[in-house]
Amino acid sequence: MFEIRPTTYGGRGCFATCAIPRGTLVHIATTPFTAVIFRDFRKEVCAYCFAYEINRTWKVRLRGTESAGLWFCSESCREQWVNEEDPSCELVPVLEVIEQAVAIARRKLQSAKTGEYDEDFVHEDFSFESDAIEKLWEHVEGLVTSNSVTANPLRNPTLKNRVLALEDIEYDSARLVAVAIVRLYLESYNTSTVPWFTWNGFSGLESHEKDLINRLPALLESHIRVFIFLKAIMPKKLQPFVTTANVRAVLGRESANAFGIWQLPLNSESECLGSSIFPSGSYFNHSCDPNVIKTRNGRQMHFTTSCAVRDGEELCISYGMMLKMPVQARQNLLQEQWYFKCGCSRCTAELATAA
Ligand SMILES: [Zn+2]
Ligand SMILES: [Zn+2]
């Protein structure tokens, strides 16, 4: 019904390969490549279907592994999560080790004992030019390269000392990165036939690391801390995949490519409960006059035409709730959050009238 090919204005987009009537479900993005429910909400949001009820803690947990930081609304959601997300039981031990490390870091903070790397990497006079950023990452990689990693790093006192106390949002980032790294590890010996769930499919998305760091320089420090945290705690067999390149790949692609997991029904009061990356859904570009509506259905993203689409026309969604904003506000928001100047037909017409 549509194909992904280069656009005339840069990057790739989805183009109709036939006339498509209004109301056609053109794509379902089924399982996120990686996703995280934010720490503040995770007891109230089902880890499988993302069902959310304010102030209601879901009761269903994984059997025997209550410390993985996952809550489910039903046993069937728990079973489906296991089948889809962790059939080989590699992910849950990693999520558990993250939660154990969080507990260790919190205890250390309370007793005011600091870890080995609790100083800042990014000093006030740091230059954010790309070369300096590369050099800093090389320095960090050199610091943490260790041959003392064991099967269970948290049992090793030296490594335990390296566990950084992170901010809540950094723990969320660490979980998001960890899920992606487990997928990469699994792929190393078990080739997936579904391109959207492969690291390659994921890394085909554009990284916005530089744009992100330019906009929010403090995130560089944060990204480094996430890397060091994961390097200290990830099990030995995953260590070869915990590289600065891979961690940066995930964090750089989350920006501008992630879909917020919004409370439903969606309105201006909805809470953002988490973040998910669906590579197949990320090829829909933005337009302020979109012909496709993106809706969340449980954990799936559905893409449905909102008007009749001609053969060859690009299929576009709206990235945020901005369609009622005036043109300049939309332009500013898209530049700030998604790093591009919107040249859609509506913006072009409205900017011409405003000039
Ligand atoms: Zn559920
Ligand atoms: Zn526009």
Side-chain angles (χ1 to χ4, degrees), residues 37 42 47 61 65-71 95-96 99 175:
I37 302 297
R42 60 190 193 163
R61 312 294 307 276
T65 54
E66 301 228 324
S67 59
L70 300 164
W71 281 258
L95 296 179
E96 283 193 290
E99 296 309 313
R175 281 180 76 105

Side-chain angles (χ1 to χ4, degrees), residues 237-257:
K237 61 184 175 184
L238 287 160
Q239 283 290 331
F241 303 93
V242 188
T243 60
T244 56
N246 289 341
V247 170
R248 292 171 71 186
V250 180
L251 296 174
R253 279 170 183 77
E254 190 211 0
S255 177
N257 283 306

Side-chain angles (χ1 to χ4, degrees), residues 286-288 330-331 334 342 344 347:
H286 168 87
S287 166
C288 302
R330 296 197 311 268
Q331 292 263 313
L334 288 162
C342 188
C344 76
C347 279

Side-chain angles (χ1 to χ4, degrees), residues 222-285:
S222 197
H223 288 186
I224 290 171
R225 287 155 52 78
V226 168
F227 166 72
I228 293 175
F229 175 82
L230 289 172
K231 198 72 194 167
I233 65 158
M234 290 288 255
K236 189 175 184 180
K237 61 184 175 184
L238 287 160
Q239 283 290 331
F241 303 93
V242 188
T243 60
T244 56
N246 289 341
V247 170
R248 292 171 71 186
V250 180
L251 296 174
R253 279 170 183 77
E254 190 211 0
S255 177
N257 283 306
F259 292 107
I261 300 168
W262 291 90
Q263 176 186 3
L264 298 178
L266 188 63
N267 58 52
S268 56
E269 310 281 288
S270 291
E271 295 267 18
C272 188
L273 310 169
S275 177
S276 58
I277 301 180
F278 290 91
S280 70
S282 290
Y283 289 103
F284 289 95
N285 288 320

Side-chain angles (χ1 to χ4, degrees), residues 54-74:
I54 300 169
N55 295 329
R56 170 176 180 165
T57 298
W58 296 117
K59 294 282 180 284
V60 181
R61 312 294 307 276
L62 285 178
R63 289 190 194 94
T65 54
E66 301 228 324
S67 59
L70 300 164
W71 281 258
F72 299 94
C73 75
S74 66

Side-chain angles (χ1 to χ4, degrees), residues 1-5 7 9-17 20 24-30 196 205-206 208 256-259 278-287 290-295 301-306 309 313-320 334 338 340:
M1 212 180 303
F2 69 89
E3 63 182 3
I4 295 166
R5 59 176 159 88
T7 66
Y9 51 88
R12 284 175 286 182
C14 304
F15 292 86
T17 50
I20 306 173
T24 308
L25 181 61
V26 290
H27 181 63
I28 300 177
T30 50
W196 301 123
L205 302 177
E206 198 180 343
H208 290 280
N257 283 306
F259 292 107
F278 290 91
S280 70
S282 290
Y283 289 103
F284 289 95
N285 288 320
H286 168 87
S287 166
N291 50 17
V292 170
I293 292 178
K294 162 185 70 108
T295 44
M301 287 290 178
H302 287 197
F303 298 83
T304 311
T305 50
S306 53
V309 177
E313 199 180 329
E314 184 174 5
L315 296 165
C316 291
I317 58 174
S318 168
Y319 282 176
L334 288 162
W338 287 274
F340 72 95

Side-chain angles (χ1 to χ4, degrees), residues 76-301:
S76 108
C77 274
R78 174 177 66 192
E79 301 323 317
Q80 290 185 80
W81 187 89
V82 171
N83 290 341
E84 286 179 31
E85 291 288 321
D86 201 22
S88 49
C89 302
E90 299 285 359
L91 178 58
V92 165
V94 170
L95 296 179
E96 283 193 290
V97 98
I98 290 177
E99 296 309 313
Q100 287 162 19
V102 173
I104 289 172
R106 295 229 156 116
R107 279 201 296 276
K108 273 206 299 203
L109 266 190
Q110 274 171 5
S111 62
K113 249 192 272 166
T114 53
E116 193 173 343
Y117 303 119
D118 274 357
E119 89 276 19
D120 290 344
F121 289 93
V122 184
H123 300 288
E124 262 173 38
D125 56 351
F126 185 79
S127 140
F128 284 93
E129 280 151 39
S130 58
D131 192 36
I133 294 175
E134 293 305 322
K135 288 214 169 76
L136 179 62
W137 274 109
E138 275 170 34
H139 166 70
V140 170
E141 180 128 49
L143 269 185
V144 300
T145 301
S146 160
N147 47 20
S148 58
V149 174
T150 56
N152 187 342
L154 293 178
R155 294 232 173 95
N156 177 321
T158 322
L159 289 167
K160 215 164 155 174
N161 190 37
R162 289 188 182 174
V163 174
L164 293 186
L166 303 186
E167 305 284 341
D168 276 1
I169 193 159
E170 294 169 339
Y171 289 127
D172 291 335
S173 295
R175 281 180 76 105
L176 193 85
V177 173
V179 172
I181 283 179
V182 170
R183 289 209 192 271
L184 181 59
Y185 162 74
L186 290 172
E187 269 177 60
S188 69
Y189 65 83
N190 180 12
T191 323
S192 166
T193 49
V194 186
W196 301 123
F197 301 140
T198 64
W199 181 272
N200 255 348
F202 162 70
S203 57
L205 302 177
E206 198 180 343
S207 172
H208 290 280
E209 185 193 35
K210 282 195 189 104
D211 298 313
L212 179 66
I213 300 293
N214 272 328
R215 178 163 65 95
L216 300 164
L219 281 180
L220 178 56
E221 180 79 38
S222 197
H223 288 186
I224 290 171
R225 287 155 52 78
V226 168
F227 166 72
I228 293 175
F229 175 82
L230 289 172
K231 198 72 194 167
I233 65 158
M234 290 288 255
K236 189 175 184 180
K237 61 184 175 184
L238 287 160
Q239 283 290 331
F241 303 93
V242 188
T243 60
T244 56
N246 289 341
V247 170
R248 292 171 71 186
V250 180
L251 296 174
R253 279 170 183 77
E254 190 211 0
S255 177
N257 283 306
F259 292 107
I261 300 168
W262 291 90
Q263 176 186 3
L264 298 178
L266 188 63
N267 58 52
S268 56
E269 310 281 288
S270 291
E271 295 267 18
C272 188
L273 310 169
S275 177
S276 58
I277 301 180
F278 290 91
S280 70
S282 290
Y283 289 103
F284 289 95
N285 288 320
H286 168 87
S287 166
C288 302
D289 184 18
N291 50 17
V292 170
I293 292 178
K294 162 185 70 108
T295 44
R296 181 166 72 76
N297 193 324
R299 66 168 15 212
Q300 301 184 334
M301 287 290 178

